[in-house]
Amino acid sequence: MTTDELIWRIAGGSGDGIASTSQNFAKALMRSGLDVFTHRHYPSRIRGGHTYTEVRVSADPIRSRGDGYNFLLALGDSFARNPQENAYYGNEEVKPLSENLDDLDDGGVIVYDSGLLDTDDIPDFDQRVEEHGWHVYDIDLRTIAREHGREVMRNTAGVAVTCAIAGIEPEVIKSLMDDTMPEKVFEPNMSVFDDAYGVVTEEYDADAPDISIPSGSHDEEQVLISGSDAIAYGALDEGCRFIAGYPMTPWTEVFTIMSQNLPEVGGISEQVEDEIAAAALAIGASHAGVKAMSGSSGGGFALMSEPLGLAEMTETPVVLIEAMRAGPSTGMPTKTEQGDLEHVLYTSQGDSHRVVFAPADAEEAYRQTRRAFQIAYEYQIPSIVLYDQKNGGELQNVPASVFDEAPNPDLGSVITEAELADAPHDPSGKYNRFQHGVEDNVSPRSIPGQEGGRYLATGNEHMPAGHISESPDNRVNQVNRRMSKMETIRAELDADGGQRNFHHGPADADYGILTFGSQQGTAVEAVDRLNDEGESVKLLGVSELAPYPVEEVTGFIESVNEVLVVEMNASAQFRGLTQKELGRFGDKLSSLLKYNGNPFEPAEIVEGFVTSIVEDGRLPGHETKFVPAAGD
Amino acid sequence: MSAFSAISEDIEHDRNEYTPGVEPQPTWCPGCGDFGVLKALKGAAAELGLSPEEMLVCTGIGCSGKLNSYFESYGFHTIHGRSLPIARAAKLANPGLTVVAAGGDGDGYGIGGNHFSHSARENHDMTYIVFNNEIFGLTKGQTSPTSPKGHKSKTQPHGSAKDPIRPLSQSLTAGASYIARTAAVNPNQAKDIIVEAIEHDGFSHIDFLTQCPTWNKDAKQYVPYIDINDSEDYEFDRTNRAEASEMMYETETVLHEGTVLTGRYYVDEERPSYGQEKRAIGEMPEEPLAERYFDDDHEWDRVYDTFLDRHK
């Protein structure tokens, strides 16, 4: 049992308010000066089905979920199905309690709503409690809630019980509830809170568990933010005022945040008939002079393949967001995976050229979404922000100052009417919008409605003014010009200053861990622990995937004996990309993979590294999988 | 001051201005109905006094997709079936533009059918011209969504088992607020209809019969045609949805019996366009969004001042 941090898991059914309760809990503790980090687990159902959110709380900075957890608040599943005998989904009603026992630390706390849950339904419950030294609090939260208000307020009762046991000042929670609840809801919630808090202090031994909330303080004001929030905010600060989309989990979050905020800043959001239309609308709006975006998750992004290629061919700037979930096909809609890397890199016919960023966390998501817009509009190329269910939904505290940045509505490489007067035109009066031999091979675009700027944008190969052409000479010139932008962009990213991707650990380490996107924070914690345990390991978390940071990754791999590539998919896509881009190191890169729908815990990376690299042994379970380097 | 003076300036235009000085010669086959659309569109644009640079013509793929290669304006030759979503977004981004989308019957009623339904439903202020030749021409003569039942082609060697799409009826059901059919062989009516369609504030759908002399030799050249608005044999009120619907059904049925009916079928001047609806609920700015990016005085909101407090 760790006492320097609380990892609180609130479990119930879908629709029981688990997400909002945990969000308020996390925010309250953040306000009290602590660092927080959440992890969500939920089913693809509107009502019912086991769902939980973990809130990790520490006085020290945290960037990952923890290993297991130490405090369970098990509410009932109000919308559980009534199972027939041998139903494969089992007894859903007790799952918020029964499903969470395996991960609970020894000496941990169990609070459960005895108004809804009966431990007689759980095999060997008492025996397991004794074995693991768990402290159990069976409290009728439902009845307390009903007495003072409504049944849904049992979440408040559960939070009050948590405070009493973990030693959290009630005022920390209450002041936040006061801020977020209307008075007529706030009053009964306070009564529920006080009653439940009193029950623990009066009738139970609240001090029995060896757990106490740490105290902390922040040097500056913090905000509780998710990756999805940060992507949307990056887009808004970059002057994006148009989004088109179609709902799909987990992308829906970004789409929702944008749709709710855009009208307030005079922007337009369009929910349309399908994802082909969504991407096409973003291209149409961008073509007409507005900074625009669209996005989806894997299945919807598949439908965007053809518009994506059109944006490449017509050199129309656009930013697309791809929120990965477990595939193929419908896969596991609410579970996380990093299996769409190759999909976003290569989908659509012909030679792809697009920019792909895979931010690790909220801060990177904000910065890289902004960068994605800058590059898209400066270089007239599609930019993709690739993230996943994990970092889209994780809430973490970030200094508010991260967002204290100037807006940038610059449309990038466009021409004005005044400039058009002296610009090259073809004999029919069309502007040569796709010119060869221009700076950085980017030919400034005109916008429909500009005098003297007319041209034809077409998905066919075309001449400088847009006329369709199959001339071999023109073809080679145009392909070379378009493709060369990738090298220019790479050079620009490198010029931003040295190491662009995330390095962590001793520079002279013997071994390396290489990962991309959302696994970075967890890998940081694993690397710290490995070094504490006497290993010599450093980390490179890559978030610029195309154009690939060849020099930076080459330097990293060359500096160590062996590299373990950590990613969440079954076919080692990031390792494959790295080998393709670097053209070597096949015998130096092994893989640690996870694809069961749940993100890595730090201990899994530690174990994977020690067992597979240091001891040359085999991993015991099948939660993660080791794939050795070529020839190993 | 507008960054788009082609929209704001009022200058008279000659129909020849819409003919490109380079590659003015269309590659359509001799006798192709597509020439009729091009001619009618040039006539309509001149009559309306539109500047080539305040027009955006978005096309799909196929012979019809070449329309904006031979018509001088801003053009976007998109992908198969997707001219509508690109066109309607451009209109939302800059409502000052005159937006025309065009494509074939396979493009609009087949692969792009979903976009057709929803664009009509939403009543975007734009004109959609469907080149209906009842065949896939550019890919050399396959059966299309409007090919008559029993139509034989290389891909339907025993004749099509499917009834054709009823484009006018479908358009009415979907929500288009101006619906007409015209034919390449009737250039004056075609021009007048395009003028009305562009002037109409809402989604205007023109089913344009364009004979394919190469791949649809069996089909009539759409002569003789009857203008239902001029003929005494067809009395109906085009502002009445039920009467329009009946007229459309008859038109679609008799086409394959050799009677070519054309004209205006439905006009709803009352229904607000999508842009008006969206502005009314506060989800679209009054000033064109595209202007904002060229306005140095515009104060851009930033997240730090607007939305961040809710996360504190």
Side-chain angles (χ1 to χ4, degrees):
Chain A
M1 178 93 201
T2 47
T3 53
D4 59 343
E5 66 176 16
L6 172 69
I7 306 179
W8 181 73
R9 188 181 280 194
I10 176 171
S14 249
D16 282 333
I18 302 301
S20 58
T21 304
S22 58
Q23 187 171 340
N24 285 339
F25 184 75
K27 193 188 269 185
L29 291 165
M30 173 190 82
R31 284 184 180 181
S32 82
L34 292 162
D35 276 24
V36 293
F37 194 94
T38 73
H39 160 61
R40 289 186 306 177
H41 172 101
Y42 60 104
S44 181
R45 263 167 78 173
I46 297 171
R47 292 273 184 233
H50 173 226
T51 175
Y52 72 73
T53 301
E54 235 168 60
V55 182
R56 189 178 183 193
V57 188
S58 172
D60 302 319
I62 27 176
R63 295 193 53 197
S64 171
R65 67 182 293 199
D67 303 325
Y69 71 104
N70 55 21
F71 197 120
L72 173 65
L73 169 60
L75 304 165
D77 182 344
S78 317
F79 306 97
R81 291 177 282 187
N82 292 317
Q84 294 168 316
E85 204 170 340
N86 300 324
Y88 73 91
Y89 50 84
N91 178 359
E92 287 185 342
E93 195 156 47
V94 297
K95 281 191 178 181
L97 181 50
S98 61
E99 294 267 301
N100 290 308
L101 297 177
D102 286 352
D103 300 335
L104 182 60
D105 293 348
D106 287 355
V109 176
I110 298 173
V111 176
Y112 73 91
D113 187 348
S114 59
L116 268 155
L117 300 168
D118 188 347
T119 51
D120 290 347
D121 295 334
I122 300 168
D124 310 323
F125 182 77
D126 293 337
Q127 189 189 324
R128 294 181 71 181
V129 167
E130 195 170 324
E131 217 169 280
H132 295 285
W134 292 330
H135 302 272
V136 179
Y137 296 81
D138 55 332
I139 301 180
D140 190 346
L141 303 171
R142 184 165 68 163
T143 302
I144 295 174
R146 277 181 181 164
E147 251 172 52
H148 302 280
R150 292 184 301 124
E151 189 167 323
V152 290
M153 296 176 187
R154 66 175 180 274
N155 294 20
T156 300
V159 170
V161 170
T162 303
C163 291
I165 298 168
I168 300 168
E169 280 298 322
E171 199 44 43
V172 168
I173 305 291
K174 284 181 173 181
S175 68
L176 184 107
M177 288 171 91
D178 195 10
D179 286 354
T180 53
M181 287 176 175
E183 196 169 322
K184 67 174 195 204
V185 183
F186 175 66
E187 291 300 333
N189 267 291
M190 284 305 95
S191 308
V192 170
F193 189 101
D194 290 338
D195 192 357
Y197 193 90
V199 166
V200 180
T201 51
E202 286 157 27
E203 299 172 27
Y204 292 81
D205 180 5
D207 299 329
D210 181 18
I211 188 163
S212 63
I213 195 81
S215 63
S217 66
H218 294 127
D219 297 337
E220 55 175 315
E221 189 174 35
Q222 303 286 305
V223 287
L224 187 69
I225 217 116
S226 72
S228 296
D229 292 322
I231 288 169
Y233 292 166
L236 288 169
D237 275 346
E238 212 50 40
C240 174
R241 291 294 180 268
F242 188 98
I243 193 169
Y246 184 93
M248 185 170 185
T249 304
W251 134 264
T252 309
E253 287 176 348
V254 168
F255 185 39
T256 305
I257 298 163
M258 289 299 286
S259 300
Q260 290 178 352
N261 292 338
L262 272 175
E264 292 187 41
V265 294
I268 296 175
S269 169
E270 276 290 290
Q271 185 176 321
V272 296
E273 58 269 28
D274 57 36
E275 287 90 346
I276 307 172
L281 264 102
I283 290 167
S286 179
H287 179 75
V290 171
K291 287 178 123 173
M293 71 190 287
S294 182
S296 191
S297 291
F301 196 82
L303 291 186
M304 296 183 171
S305 290
E306 215 188 353
L308 173 59
L310 180 70
E312 290 177 336
M313 192 55 150
T314 59
E315 299 179 72
T316 309
V318 70
V319 173
L320 300 177
I321 309 293
E322 218 267 34
M324 293 182 280
R325 65 192 215 187
S329 192
T330 308
M332 298 197 288
T334 59
K335 299 297 177 289
T336 198
E337 201 164 277
Q338 295 180 299
D340 295 349
L341 174 58
E342 290 178 345
H343 179 47
V344 302
L345 285 170
Y346 310 122
T347 190
S348 198
Q349 63 273 32
D351 295 307
S352 66
H353 48 285
R354 63 199 63 158
V355 174
V356 180
F357 287 125
D361 54 20
E363 192 170 336
E364 277 194 8
Y366 175 73
R367 295 192 197 288
Q368 291 187 341
T369 303
R370 294 197 66 163
R371 205 80 181 90
F373 271 94
Q374 288 155 21
I375 291 173
Y377 280 80
E378 193 54 47
Y379 293 95
Q380 305 176 353
I381 197 170
S383 285
I384 296 168
V385 178
L386 180 69
Y387 70 113
D388 53 59
Q389 187 271 349
K390 170 179 153 31
N391 59 353
E394 286 166 346
L395 290 165
Q396 60 185 123
N397 60 297
V398 171
S401 61
V402 166
F403 299 92
D404 189 4
E405 296 281 340
N408 174 36
D410 186 11
L411 264 188
S413 186
V414 289
I415 192 164
T416 62
E417 284 191 336
E419 291 164 337
L420 274 166
D422 301 322
H425 288 70
D426 84 346
S428 66
K430 277 188 166 67
Y431 164 55
N432 282 345
R433 182 253 178 278
F434 305 103
Q435 276 224 99
H436 310 308
V438 288
E439 190 189 347
D440 286 343
N441 276 333
V442 179
S443 184
R445 62 187 182 121
S446 56
I447 307 290
Q450 282 180 326
E451 190 76 41
R454 66 179 182 270
Y455 72 97
L456 180 67
T458 171
N460 288 58
E461 189 57 271
H462 43 268
M463 309 282 284
H467 295 293
I468 294 169
S469 165
E470 295 184 351
S471 137
D473 257 5
N474 177 69
R475 164 70 175 174
V476 172
N477 283 336
Q478 292 287 25
V479 171
N480 289 349
R481 190 177 60 74
R482 289 189 300 261
M483 298 290 285
S484 78
K485 290 191 277 188
M486 292 298 279
E487 287 163 41
T488 315
I489 293 166
R490 182 69 259 158
E492 186 190 305
L493 288 169
D494 288 341
D496 276 359
Q499 296 177 333
R500 294 268 315 151
N501 295 284
F502 183 83
H503 294 258
H504 184 76
D508 60 349
D510 297 335
Y511 293 96
I513 288 181
L514 185 65
T515 191
F516 84 100
S518 64
Q519 302 314 298
Q520 188 191 103
T522 308
V524 166
E525 188 162 333
V527 163
D528 285 345
R529 282 195 222 169
L530 284 165
N531 285 303
D532 286 349
E533 288 167 18
E535 303 294 344
S536 173
V537 196
K538 64 181 176 179
L539 170 73
L540 173 55
V542 177
S543 50
E544 293 171 355
L545 297 170
Y548 196 85
V550 172
E551 267 184 49
E552 189 177 349
V553 180
T554 300
F556 177 82
I557 297 175
E558 280 179 337
S559 73
V560 291
N561 300 329
E562 222 178 301
V563 174
L564 182 66
V565 187
V566 176
E567 57 188 306
M568 278 193 319
N569 59 61
S571 53
Q573 295 180 23
F574 178 57
R575 181 172 91 168
L577 172 68
T578 302
Q579 283 178 215
K580 171 180 175 278
E581 290 286 348
L582 306 188
R584 56 197 172 120
F585 298 126
D587 56 355
K588 215 170 168 179
L589 306 177
S590 54
S591 283
L592 184 66
L593 309 172
K594 187 172 182 184
Y595 43 89
N596 69 355
N598 299 318
F600 278 102
E601 292 182 354
E604 288 175 323
I605 299 176
V606 170
E607 180 190 51
F609 181 85
V610 171
T611 311
S612 308
I613 305 289
V614 182
E615 295 167 356
D616 249 349
R618 289 179 62 86
L619 289 169
H622 73 276
E623 294 270 300
T624 60
K625 180 180 175 181
F626 176 73
V627 182
D632 216 19
Chain B
M1 207 187 80
S2 172
F4 305 100
S5 52
I7 295 170
S8 47
E9 281 184 17
D10 207 5
I11 306 167
E12 284 219 358
H13 295 278
D14 185 276
R15 64 186 297 277
N16 292 324
E17 286 181 44
Y18 306 102
T19 303
V22 171
E23 205 194 354
Q25 196 75 53
T27 54
W28 295 318
C29 306
C32 174
D34 294 3
F35 287 101
V37 186
L38 179 60
K39 189 179 170 202
L41 182 62
K42 287 178 180 175
E47 189 167 320
L48 289 164
L50 293 168
S51 151
E53 286 170 329
E54 68 181 297
M55 288 185 79
L56 176 63
V57 179
C58 298
T59 58
I61 298 299
C63 294
S64 57
K66 305 277 177 66
L67 178 69
N68 46 16
S69 284
Y70 315 131
F71 182 86
E72 195 66 57
S73 71
Y74 278 96
F76 203 141
H77 179 221
T78 71
I79 41 182
H80 198 30
R82 319 300 168 202
S83 65
L84 283 172
I86 287 181
R88 69 194 209 220
K91 183 72 184 181
L92 290 169
N94 192 349
L97 294 169
T98 295
V99 176
V100 175
D105 51 278
D107 195 285
Y109 305 145
I111 191 168
N114 200 16
H115 310 310
F116 172 51
S117 288
H118 284 267
S119 303
R121 164 201 170 205
E122 293 170 5
N123 200 31
H124 291 268
D125 183 15
M126 56 181 284
T127 297
Y128 185 38
I129 302 171
V130 180
F131 294 51
N132 182 0
N133 59 5
E134 304 177 85
I135 198 88
F136 282 102
L138 193 56
T139 49
K140 306 201 170 175
Q142 298 79 20
T143 303
S144 88
T146 48
S147 300
K149 191 172 186 180
H151 177 265
K152 283 191 181 176
S153 69
K154 285 177 192 164
T155 54
Q156 302 275 204
H158 302 100
S160 170
K162 300 173 185 179
D163 275 322
I165 286 272
R166 291 179 174 274
L168 304 172
S169 301
Q170 196 176 319
S171 183
L172 182 70
T173 306
S177 51
Y178 179 96
I179 305 167
R181 169 174 274 178
T182 185
V185 288
N186 190 358
N188 289 328
Q189 184 208 44
K191 183 206 71 183
D192 290 346
I193 282 179
I194 294 177
V195 167
E196 286 171 28
I198 291 176
E199 283 189 315
H200 175 74
D201 290 333
F203 189 77
S204 302
H205 169 219
I206 302 168
D207 185 75
F208 207 123
L209 296 170
T210 51
Q211 72 279 1
C212 178
T214 305
W215 294 108
N216 207 5
K217 288 191 170 66
D218 297 344
K220 302 280 181 229
Q221 297 293 300
Y222 306 119
V223 278
Y225 57 82
I226 297 164
D227 186 328
I228 53 163
N229 307 121
D230 288 344
S231 167
E232 288 177 4
D233 297 339
Y234 301 95
E235 289 282 325
F236 79 108
D237 176 3
R238 73 181 93 149
T239 64
N240 181 299
R241 174 173 286 272
E243 290 182 31
S245 172
E246 217 163 289
M247 193 64 239
M248 290 172 176
Y249 197 86
E250 182 178 348
T251 297
E252 289 155 347
T253 306
V254 300
L255 179 65
H256 304 297
E257 296 163 1
T259 305
V260 182
L261 302 182
T262 63
R264 294 86 168 160
Y265 285 80
Y266 184 66
V267 183
D268 180 353
E269 298 289 358
E270 306 299 313
R271 188 178 169 204
S273 71
Y274 186 62
Q276 290 169 318
E277 298 273 21
K278 225 168 150 66
R279 283 184 170 127
I281 58 168
E283 291 206 343
M284 184 168 160
E286 292 297 328
E287 292 299 311
L289 252 183
E291 294 276 12
R292 199 183 296 176
Y293 293 88
F294 293 90
D295 176 5
D296 293 338
D297 296 330
H298 184 81
E299 297 222 359
W300 290 81
D301 289 298
R302 59 184 200 137
V303 167
Y304 189 75
D305 305 318
T306 47
F307 306 125
L308 209 59
D309 277 355
R310 65 180 76 142
H311 298 279
K312 288 176 179 169

